[in-house]
Amino acid sequence: MPISTALHADIAKRLQESREATLASIRTRTGLDPEGNEPPPIGPRAHEVQNDDAPTAEMIAHDEEQFADHEAALLHEIDAAIDRLESGGYGICESCGCEIPEQRLLATPTVRTCVPCQERIEKEEGTGRGPTM
């Protein structure tokens, strides 16, 4: 059963806003800032220093690269969700084919699986968060 028209519109708006914000962040981080006011944080020598702070500068550059990788992966997930929304496959678990509850879709618009399948995948891959204190 396809998602409701109201949910479709809400999710489409959220995904588009998230896509635009992520693209803006990627452009700024990689130097594709249309205004060109600042050097890219992950560009070569972006955090180069003249004193003993070289390890700190290297750590900052590494962190910036990690943020850029995360943002690129997020953009991919957003685009995949937009594709599913446009093709009519949005809201269907990619693992078991069951409907994903509306609350889960609203909480995480890029979600691909229902909760039971996600828990199974995390258990199999050992990627779940596990117990917390």
Side-chain angles (χ1 to χ4, degrees):
M1 179 176 169
I3 62 173
S4 70
T5 305
L7 180 61
H8 185 282
D10 186 26
I11 295 292
K13 179 181 176 192
R14 288 176 182 216
L15 288 171
Q16 193 57 42
E17 288 171 353
S18 183
R19 186 176 197 286
E20 289 169 10
T22 303
L23 272 175
S25 181
I26 290 171
R27 286 184 184 119
T28 299
R29 193 174 306 283
T30 59
L32 300 175
D33 182 14
E35 296 174 21
N37 295 328
E38 296 184 25
I42 63 169
R45 304 179 220 247
H47 300 284
E48 194 171 80
V49 293
Q50 299 292 328
N51 55 27
D52 292 334
D53 285 339
T56 300
E58 185 177 318
M59 182 181 69
I60 292 169
H62 174 76
D63 288 348
E64 290 293 336
E65 288 178 26
Q66 295 298 315
F67 290 138
D69 289 346
H70 172 75
E71 289 166 340
L74 177 59
L75 184 61
H76 174 75
E77 288 297 316
I78 292 167
D79 285 342
I82 290 170
D83 287 347
R84 289 190 309 277
L85 192 63
E86 291 173 354
S87 70
Y90 187 81
I92 304 299
C93 177
E94 291 182 356
S95 184
C96 70
C98 292
E99 289 183 30
I100 300 171
E102 183 175 321
Q103 297 83 2
R104 181 161 168 77
L105 296 172
L106 289 170
T108 310
T110 58
V111 72
R112 295 172 178 251
T113 57
C114 63
V115 172
C117 287
Q118 186 63 40
E119 288 173 346
R120 179 186 47 78
I121 291 166
E122 289 175 3
K123 185 176 180 181
E124 289 171 0
E125 295 177 355
T127 58
R129 291 175 31 185
T132 59
M133 295 176 85

